[in-house]
């Protein structure tokens, strides 16, 4: 039996990425630091809504924010994303291994079948 | 101005991954098809809770389920995960490019400074 922590870092990272506005904000920040006002410009939503999204990103460790109360420029942090891709990649690897094994099993069965057909012809 | 679709596929994928039980279910399914009962075994939660998680995964396209009402084995689908890693990788690439440019700028400034020091010595 496994007990599960519902507020782990990986869940916070994936949760933060589960929103197109937040992903667009991260894409913006990949080009450099920006203030809330700069970040809000391309969107049809309020500054308050952008601030909420920034809080979610900050809690997930995907951004850090400057200290100056008025500007508080946001800067992206890439480490949580690395953990996220690591998780997906590990899982895709298990899946690929499984398919490799299935493929080998199919080849083995095909070889056996070919052998048996040979036996029938020779016998 | 950008209008944003709040129920896009990528958001559903990341949303489905934002839960440790669902990630554990996917890791199980990477080893092969399983029924709800088999999937529920390692967890301290009810079959109903597992069924709810499977619905979220199914809606995100991360699993498909068999037709037989009683068994309905779940099987994982890897395509949405590829889209998810593609998104993260694209974004990390912008970030890397930015740091490469910063590094070049720093080298350029250091070279300039070295030149000026040389000038001072020679002049």
């Amino acid at each position: 039996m496994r007990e599960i922590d519902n507020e782990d870092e990986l869940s916070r990272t994936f949760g933060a990425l589960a929103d197109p506005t937040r992903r667009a904000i991260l894409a913006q920040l990949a080009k450099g630091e920006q203030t809330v006002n700069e970040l809000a410009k391309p969107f049809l939503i309020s500054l308050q809504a952008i601030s909420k999204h920034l809080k979610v990103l900050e809690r997930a460790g995907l951004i850090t924010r400057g200290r100056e109360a008025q500007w508080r420029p946001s800067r992206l942090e890439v480490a949580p994303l690395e953990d996220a891709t690591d998780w997906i990649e590990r899982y895709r690897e298990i899946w690929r291994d499984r398919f490799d094994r299935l493929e080998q099993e199919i080849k083995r069965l095909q070889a056996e079948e070919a052998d048996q057909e040979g036996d029938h012809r020779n016998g």
Side-chain angles (χ1 to χ4, degrees), chain A residues 85-101:
Chain A
T85 42
D86 283 352
W87 185 87
I88 297 182
E89 283 308 311
R90 196 162 51 235
Y91 155 79
R92 282 172 61 186
E93 221 158 90
I94 303 174
W95 187 84
R96 266 194 300 265
D97 284 352
R98 191 191 144 212
F99 269 73
D100 288 348
R101 280 200 306 277

Side-chain angles (χ1 to χ4, degrees), chain A residues 23-38:
Chain A
R23 290 197 303 278
I25 289 173
L26 291 176
Q28 276 302 105
L29 292 177
K31 299 177 208 156
E33 281 192 8
Q34 292 202 350
T35 63
V36 181
N37 282 310
E38 287 166 334

Side-chain angles (χ1 to χ4, degrees), chain A residues 18-109:
Chain A
D19 180 279
T21 307
R22 286 197 292 270
R23 290 197 303 278
I25 289 173
L26 291 176
Q28 276 302 105
L29 292 177
K31 299 177 208 156
E33 281 192 8
Q34 292 202 350
T35 63
V36 181
N37 282 310
E38 287 166 334
L39 283 171
K41 253 182 232 159
F43 300 106
L44 290 167
I45 56 175
S46 67
L47 280 181
Q48 278 89 339
I50 294 287
S51 288
K52 262 194 189 170
H53 284 311
L54 292 179
K55 263 179 206 148
V56 176
L57 291 170
E58 198 175 15
R59 227 182 125 244
L62 283 163
I63 65 166
T64 49
R65 302 182 71 188
R67 284 274 147 241
E68 309 85 62
Q70 213 181 343
W71 301 103
R72 304 210 64 200
S74 298
R75 163 210 296 265
L76 81 87
E77 301 294 333
V78 92
L81 284 180
E82 282 170 11
D83 295 338
T85 42
D86 283 352
W87 185 87
I88 297 182
E89 283 308 311
R90 196 162 51 235
Y91 155 79
R92 282 172 61 186
E93 221 158 90
I94 303 174
W95 187 84
R96 266 194 300 265
D97 284 352
R98 191 191 144 212
F99 269 73
D100 288 348
R101 280 200 306 277
L102 276 177
E103 210 185 352
Q104 281 167 8
E105 181 64 13
I106 288 166
K107 277 187 191 152
R108 198 184 60 77
L109 289 170

